[in-house]
Amino acid sequence: MDRINPATGEQLDPVETEDEADVERAVERASEVYPEWSGRRMEERQKLLARAGDVLRENKQEYAELMTREMGKPISGALSEVEKCAWACDHYAEKAGEYLADEHIGTEPHADAFVSYEPLGPVLAVMPWNYPFWQVFRFAAPTLTAGNTGLLKHASNVPGCAQAIEEVFREAGYPEGAFQSLIVGSDLVEQVVEDDRVRAVTLTGSEGAGRAVGATAGEQLKPSVLELGGSDPFVVLEDADVEAAAAVGARARTLNSGQSCIAAKRFIAVEEVYDEFLDAFVSEMEALTVGDPMEEETDIGPQAREDLMADLHEQVEDTLSDGAELRTGGEPLDRDGFFYPPTVLTDVPRDATMSCEEVFGPAAAVYEVPDEETAVDLANDSTYGLGGSVWTEDLDRGARVARRIESGCVFVNELTKSDPRIPFGGVKDSGYGRELGEFGIKAFVNEKTVWVQSAADQDV
């Protein structure tokens, strides 16, 4: 696989691609090791996961620099990403046994009925490039600890990250075949999903990829979890702390150089505070540092690929053609690499490109609305439903508004984020199923009912 450093446009050393025979061997290994791996005591699997967290921390700088070279993530964010992966390992190393303990249910006086949470087998994960370690570990940490084996088909521009993640589990002491990376193109995904030995699939990626993988999994009657795109609303009500909302909003739009499914993308402010919010928000966006992602002071690095930068610019230009007004940014930077500046558009029509499509880069659409009711209506006027953010000094009001927003998660006075302790996922075209927390570790288990009846109380 060819790799390009998006900060310089220079070629990195290519990574050798695997073929169908390699995939067959990997699937067979995952299937063969599954009975032994799933038969291990939960405590042993938890201990190995804790060790994986240690390996991540011991090699944090190396993994962070690898992410930055392959997809341009600012180094500070890359270091934080490795730490977050280790946190996920810590969390499930502590909580997996509790999450998957037998759940006893009262039924009849002389019967013991309980739910046993048992693994399924090999699980395929199709993962994106934007958070190349975190996306994988939020799948792998719970799924492997539940007793499944894992197969990773990572994005083609981060094959080095895929290999490094496999090495993390190997170095932690996992058995050969418990977790494997398939260095293959997307053309082989369908046949892996169709393989009888693969028992479930999860995908984080585009809506189109999710529909394709979900359809194949459905035809095979296999469970799937899909975490797809988002166009998250960021609602600023008239009683909000406007300065805080603007500062956090700029960060929420530009985390990972704007390349995040849960980034705030549509900023909706009621008219009483619209001008104040817009001025503060534009100032915050313009104050961000665009530059070399290897430098600690850099806030925004390059877009991950040249074609992605071109797509982003086309969305901005289309939205301006639809009648929006440009407040800052709006043109690719004239320098080596694939850099796009923080960009803010206002007066964006509801049917404009940036209103209807996911915008994967540091470009924000800002809307003025008369009141809370209109803000909620606009927030829900999207085919997506991944996350959202509401800003108000009245916390009860914030909770009420949050309940009305059609998404998988809503944060009040905070940016949308994923956390190992709480479930994460979307509704509508943002997908289905949940990752993380107790819900995540139960995504790929058999919730088996066991009924134990006292023989003395049998009806004859």
Side-chain angles (χ1 to χ4, degrees):
M1 290 181 177
D2 292 329
R3 301 183 295 165
I4 296 176
N5 184 332
T8 64
E10 297 174 348
Q11 290 276 350
L12 301 171
D13 292 337
V15 172
E16 186 175 353
T17 305
E18 296 175 334
D19 58 22
E20 289 190 44
D22 295 316
V23 173
E24 166 59 30
R25 285 190 288 270
V27 174
E28 183 61 22
R29 281 195 298 270
S31 181
E32 288 178 349
V33 77
Y34 167 68
E36 185 271 330
W37 174 243
S38 62
R40 293 195 186 191
R41 297 172 62 248
M42 171 61 77
E43 291 79 7
E44 184 177 354
R45 296 200 296 268
Q46 289 174 285
K47 184 177 180 180
L48 286 173
L49 186 63
R51 175 58 188 149
D54 293 339
V55 172
L56 285 163
R57 292 190 176 98
E58 290 163 6
N59 299 281
K60 178 170 68 173
Q61 191 70 33
E62 174 190 342
Y63 298 147
E65 291 180 2
L66 174 59
M67 282 188 266
T68 299
R69 285 194 303 273
E70 285 199 324
M71 55 72 59
K73 185 184 297 290
I75 191 67
S76 58
L79 289 164
S80 296
E81 182 168 336
V82 179
E83 284 286 357
K84 191 170 184 177
C85 294
W87 178 26
C89 292
D90 295 344
H91 177 74
Y92 284 106
E94 176 187 357
K95 291 288 189 178
E98 175 186 330
Y99 287 155
L100 297 181
D102 290 348
E103 183 178 348
H104 291 263
I105 301 171
T107 53
E108 297 180 3
H110 301 287
D112 179 19
F114 61 92
V115 178
S116 173
Y117 298 98
E118 301 174 4
L120 300 177
V123 180
L124 172 67
V126 182
M127 292 289 133
W129 49 263
N130 58 329
Y131 287 90
F133 269 64
W134 170 241
Q135 304 280 13
V136 177
F137 272 89
R138 75 187 196 191
F139 148 76
T143 303
L144 296 182
T145 311
N148 301 293
T149 54
L151 295 161
L152 169 65
K153 191 287 175 206
H154 218 327
S156 297
N157 59 331
V158 289
C161 291
Q163 292 176 326
I165 293 168
E166 181 174 341
E167 181 58 32
V168 169
F169 289 106
R170 184 179 299 113
E171 189 174 335
Y174 281 70
E176 190 71 25
F179 181 90
Q180 301 169 84
S181 289
L182 310 177
I183 310 300
V184 298
S186 299
D187 56 310
L188 293 181
V189 170
E190 184 174 6
Q191 71 182 58
V192 179
V193 178
E194 291 176 340
D195 194 300
D196 289 342
R197 294 165 293 183
V198 174
R199 303 304 300 273
V201 61
T202 181
L203 175 142
T204 298
S206 69
E207 180 188 340
R211 289 183 185 277
V213 168
T216 303
E219 290 173 355
Q220 304 299 317
L221 299 179
K222 296 179 180 180
S224 59
V225 171
L226 303 179
E227 193 267 278
L228 309 179
S231 187
D232 287 6
F234 189 99
V235 177
V236 183
L237 299 174
E238 72 278 358
D239 60 347
D241 181 335
V242 174
E243 292 295 326
V248 175
R251 186 158 56 94
R253 175 58 282 202
T254 59
L255 281 173
N256 201 34
S257 306
Q259 301 167 120
S260 172
C261 54
I262 55 171
K265 299 185 173 82
R266 295 178 296 130
F267 292 80
I268 304 166
V270 298
E271 59 187 11
E272 289 180 43
V273 293
Y274 173 79
D275 289 336
E276 180 185 359
F277 172 76
L278 178 62
D279 288 346
F281 181 62
V282 171
S283 295
E284 293 283 353
M285 292 284 276
E286 291 178 336
L288 296 169
T289 300
V290 182
D292 182 353
M294 283 294 184
E295 299 294 333
E296 287 282 351
E297 63 269 19
T298 294
D299 298 307
I300 299 176
Q303 302 302 281
R305 299 195 311 261
E306 186 173 14
D307 64 305
L308 296 171
M309 183 183 70
D311 290 344
L312 172 63
H313 185 51
E314 183 178 354
Q315 288 177 309
V316 171
E317 289 192 312
D318 287 349
T319 303
L320 292 172
S321 297
D322 291 332
E325 180 179 347
L326 181 66
R327 295 302 181 112
T328 191
E331 289 288 341
L333 298 182
D334 185 15
R335 58 179 294 175
D336 291 336
F338 316 134
F339 290 87
Y340 204 85
T343 296
V344 178
L345 277 67
T346 59
D347 302 314
V348 180
R350 282 199 182 199
D351 59 352
T353 299
M354 288 178 62
S355 295
C356 301
E357 298 179 2
E358 179 175 29
V359 179
F360 224 61
V366 184
Y367 306 81
E368 181 180 9
V369 295
D371 51 33
E372 175 189 311
E373 191 67 28
T374 313
V376 172
D377 178 67
L378 179 54
N380 291 334
D381 188 16
S382 173
T383 60
Y384 295 107
L386 191 55
S389 184
V390 177
W391 288 77
T392 173
E393 293 283 76
D394 184 337
L395 300 187
D396 290 337
R397 182 189 188 189
R400 288 197 306 272
V401 174
R403 288 179 181 274
R404 299 180 62 196
I405 293 178
E406 299 166 352
S407 66
C409 60
V410 181
F411 287 71
V412 178
N413 298 330
E414 176 62 292
L415 56 79
T416 304
K417 57 188 177 181
S418 56
D419 182 312
R421 299 165 295 186
I422 56 177
F424 178 81
V427 296
K428 300 195 286 189
D429 287 354
S430 291
Y432 54 76
R434 292 294 179 266
E435 300 174 297
L436 300 176
E438 182 175 354
F439 293 83
I441 200 170
K442 290 179 177 177
F444 298 121
V445 296
N446 174 18
E447 298 172 328
K448 180 189 289 183
T449 296
V450 179
W451 181 295
V452 182
Q453 181 76 39
S454 171
D457 294 288
Q458 291 282 354
D459 291 328
V460 179

Coordinates of all heavy atoms in Angstrom, one line a residue, residues 343-383:
T343 N -12.6 27.7 8.7 CA -13.5 28.4 7.8 C -14.9 28.5 8.5 O -15.4 27.5 9.1 CB -13.6 27.6 6.5 OG1 -12.3 27.6 5.9 CG2 -14.6 28.2 5.5
V344 N -15.5 29.7 8.3 CA -16.8 29.9 8.9 C -17.7 30.5 7.8 O -17.4 31.5 7.2 CB -16.8 30.8 10.1 CG1 -18.2 31.1 10.7 CG2 -15.9 30.3 11.2
L345 N -18.9 29.9 7.7 CA -19.9 30.4 6.7 C -21.2 30.8 7.5 O -21.6 30.0 8.5 CB -20.3 29.4 5.7 CG -19.3 29.3 4.4 CD1 -17.9 28.8 4.8 CD2 -19.9 28.4 3.4
T346 N -21.8 31.8 7.2 CA -23.1 32.2 7.8 C -24.2 32.3 6.7 O -23.9 32.2 5.5 CB -23.0 33.6 8.5 OG1 -22.6 34.6 7.6 CG2 -22.0 33.5 9.6
D347 N -25.4 32.6 7.2 CA -26.6 32.7 6.2 C -26.7 31.5 5.4 O -26.9 31.6 4.1 CB -26.5 34.0 5.4 CG -26.4 35.2 6.2 OD1 -27.2 35.4 7.2 OD2 -25.5 36.1 6.0
V348 N -26.5 30.3 5.9 CA -26.4 29.1 5.2 C -27.9 28.6 5.0 O -28.6 28.3 6.0 CB -25.6 28.0 5.9 CG1 -25.6 26.7 5.1 CG2 -24.2 28.5 6.1
P349 N -28.4 28.4 3.8 CA -29.7 27.9 3.6 C -29.8 26.4 4.1 O -28.9 25.7 4.1 CB -29.9 27.9 2.1 CG -28.9 29.0 1.6 CD -27.7 28.8 2.5
R350 N -31.0 26.1 4.5 CA -31.2 24.7 5.0 C -31.0 23.6 4.0 O -30.7 22.5 4.4 CB -32.7 24.6 5.6 CG -32.9 25.2 6.9 CD -34.2 24.6 7.5 NE -34.5 25.2 8.8 CZ -35.2 24.6 9.7 NH1 -35.8 23.4 9.4 NH2 -35.5 25.1 10.9
D351 N -31.1 24.0 2.7 CA -30.9 23.0 1.7 C -29.5 23.1 1.0 O -29.3 22.5 0.0 CB -32.0 23.1 0.6 CG -32.1 24.4 -0.1 OD1 -31.4 25.4 0.4 OD2 -32.8 24.6 -1.1
A352 N -28.7 23.9 1.6 CA -27.3 24.1 1.1 C -26.5 22.8 1.3 O -26.8 22.0 2.2 CB -26.6 25.3 1.7
T353 N -25.4 22.7 0.6 CA -24.5 21.5 0.7 C -24.0 21.3 2.1 O -24.1 20.2 2.7 CB -23.3 21.7 -0.2 OG1 -23.7 21.8 -1.6 CG2 -22.4 20.5 -0.1
M354 N -23.6 22.3 2.8 CA -23.0 22.1 4.2 C -24.1 21.9 5.2 O -23.9 21.5 6.3 CB -22.2 23.3 4.6 CG -20.8 23.3 3.8 SD -19.8 24.7 4.3 CE -19.5 24.5 6.0
S355 N -25.4 22.1 4.8 CA -26.5 21.8 5.7 C -26.9 20.3 5.6 O -27.4 19.7 6.5 CB -27.7 22.7 5.4 OG -27.5 24.0 5.7
C356 N -26.7 19.8 4.4 CA -27.2 18.4 4.1 C -26.2 17.3 4.1 O -26.5 16.2 4.3 CB -27.9 18.5 2.7 SG -29.2 19.7 2.6
E357 N -24.9 17.7 3.9 CA -23.8 16.7 3.8 C -22.9 16.8 5.0 O -22.9 17.8 5.7 CB -23.0 16.9 2.6 CG -23.7 16.8 1.2 CD -22.8 17.0 0.0 OE1 -21.6 17.3 0.2 OE2 -23.3 17.0 -1.1
E358 N -22.3 15.7 5.3 CA -21.3 15.7 6.4 C -20.1 16.4 5.9 O -19.6 16.2 4.7 CB -20.8 14.3 6.8 CG -19.8 14.3 7.9 CD -19.4 12.9 8.4 OE1 -19.5 11.9 7.6 OE2 -19.0 12.8 9.5
V359 N -19.6 17.4 6.7 CA -18.4 18.2 6.3 C -17.2 17.7 7.1 O -17.2 17.8 8.3 CB -18.6 19.7 6.5 CG1 -17.4 20.5 6.2 CG2 -19.8 20.1 5.7
F360 N -16.2 17.1 6.5 CA -15.1 16.4 7.2 C -13.9 17.3 7.0 O -12.9 17.0 6.3 CB -14.9 15.0 6.6 CG -14.7 14.0 7.6 CD1 -15.7 13.7 8.6 CD2 -13.5 13.3 7.7 CE1 -15.5 12.7 9.6 CE2 -13.3 12.3 8.7 CZ -14.3 12.0 9.6
G361 N -13.8 18.4 7.8 CA -12.7 19.3 7.8 C -13.1 20.5 8.6 O -14.2 20.6 9.1
P362 N -12.2 21.5 8.8 CA -12.4 22.6 9.7 C -13.3 23.7 9.1 O -12.9 24.9 9.2 CB -11.0 23.1 10.0 CG -10.2 22.8 8.7 CD -10.8 21.5 8.2
A363 N -14.4 23.4 8.6 CA -15.3 24.4 8.1 C -16.7 24.3 8.8 O -17.3 23.2 8.9 CB -15.5 24.1 6.6
A364 N -17.2 25.4 9.3 CA -18.4 25.4 10.1 C -19.5 26.2 9.4 O -19.2 27.3 8.8 CB -18.1 26.0 11.5
A365 N -20.7 25.7 9.6 CA -21.9 26.5 9.1 C -22.6 27.0 10.3 O -22.9 26.3 11.3 CB -22.8 25.6 8.3
V366 N -22.9 28.4 10.3 CA -23.5 29.0 11.5 C -24.9 29.5 11.1 O -25.0 30.2 10.0 CB -22.6 30.2 12.0 CG1 -23.3 30.8 13.3 CG2 -21.2 29.7 12.3
Y367 N -25.9 29.3 11.9 CA -27.3 29.6 11.6 C -27.8 30.5 12.7 O -27.5 30.3 13.9 CB -28.1 28.4 11.6 CG -27.6 27.3 10.6 CD1 -26.6 26.5 11.0 CD2 -28.2 27.2 9.3 CE1 -26.2 25.5 10.1 CE2 -27.8 26.2 8.5 CZ -26.7 25.4 8.9 OH -26.3 24.4 8.0
E368 N -28.7 31.5 12.4 CA -29.4 32.3 13.3 C -30.8 31.9 13.3 O -31.5 31.8 12.3 CB -29.3 33.8 12.9 CG -30.0 34.7 13.9 CD -29.9 36.2 13.5 OE1 -29.4 36.5 12.4 OE2 -30.3 37.1 14.3
V369 N -31.4 31.7 14.6 CA -32.8 31.2 14.7 C -33.5 32.1 15.7 O -32.8 32.7 16.6 CB -32.9 29.7 15.1 CG1 -32.3 28.8 14.0 CG2 -32.2 29.5 16.4
P370 N -34.8 32.2 15.7 CA -35.5 33.1 16.6 C -35.6 32.6 18.0 O -35.7 33.4 19.0 CB -36.9 33.3 15.9 CG -37.1 32.1 15.1 CD -35.7 31.7 14.6
D371 N -35.7 31.3 18.2 CA -36.0 30.8 19.5 C -35.6 29.3 19.7 O -35.1 28.7 18.7 CB -37.5 30.9 19.8 CG -38.4 30.4 18.7 OD1 -38.0 29.4 18.1 OD2 -39.5 30.9 18.5
E372 N -35.8 28.8 20.9 CA -35.4 27.4 21.2 C -36.2 26.4 20.3 O -35.6 25.4 19.8 CB -35.8 27.1 22.6 CG -35.6 25.7 23.1 CD -36.1 25.4 24.4 OE1 -35.8 26.1 25.4 OE2 -36.9 24.4 24.6
E373 N -37.4 26.6 20.0 CA -38.2 25.7 19.2 C -37.6 25.6 17.8 O -37.5 24.5 17.3 CB -39.7 26.2 19.2 CG -40.6 25.1 18.6 CD -40.8 23.9 19.5 OE1 -40.7 24.0 20.7 OE2 -41.1 22.8 18.9
T374 N -37.3 26.7 17.2 CA -36.7 26.7 15.9 C -35.3 26.0 15.9 O -34.9 25.3 15.0 CB -36.6 28.1 15.3 OG1 -37.9 28.7 15.5 CG2 -36.3 28.0 13.8
A375 N -34.6 26.3 17.0 CA -33.3 25.7 17.1 C -33.3 24.1 17.1 O -32.6 23.4 16.5 CB -32.6 26.2 18.4
V376 N -34.3 23.6 17.9 CA -34.5 22.1 18.0 C -34.9 21.6 16.6 O -34.4 20.6 16.1 CB -35.5 21.8 19.1 CG1 -35.8 20.3 19.0 CG2 -34.9 22.1 20.4
D377 N -35.8 22.3 16.0 CA -36.3 21.9 14.6 C -35.1 21.8 13.6 O -35.0 20.9 12.9 CB -37.4 22.9 14.1 CG -37.9 22.5 12.7 OD1 -38.5 21.5 12.6 OD2 -37.6 23.3 11.8
L378 N -34.3 22.8 13.6 CA -33.1 22.9 12.7 C -32.1 21.8 13.1 O -31.5 21.1 12.2 CB -32.5 24.2 12.7 CG -31.2 24.4 11.8 CD1 -31.5 24.0 10.4 CD2 -30.7 25.9 11.9
A379 N -31.9 21.6 14.4 CA -31.0 20.6 14.9 C -31.4 19.2 14.3 O -30.6 18.4 13.9 CB -30.9 20.5 16.4
N380 N -32.7 18.9 14.3 CA -33.2 17.6 13.9 C -33.4 17.6 12.3 O -33.8 16.5 11.8 CB -34.5 17.3 14.6 CG -34.3 17.1 16.0 OD1 -33.3 16.6 16.5 ND2 -35.4 17.3 16.8
D381 N -33.2 18.7 11.6 CA -33.4 18.7 10.2 C -32.2 18.2 9.5 O -31.4 18.9 8.8 CB -33.7 20.1 9.7 CG -34.1 20.2 8.3 OD1 -34.4 19.1 7.7 OD2 -34.1 21.3 7.7
S382 N -31.9 16.9 9.7 CA -30.7 16.2 9.2 C -31.0 14.7 9.0 O -31.7 14.2 9.8 CB -29.5 16.5 10.1 OG -28.4 15.7 9.6
T383 N -30.4 14.1 8.0 CA -30.5 12.7 7.9 C -29.6 12.0 8.9 O -29.8 10.8 9.2 CB -30.1 12.2 6.5 OG1 -28.8 12.6 6.2 CG2 -31.0 12.8 5.5

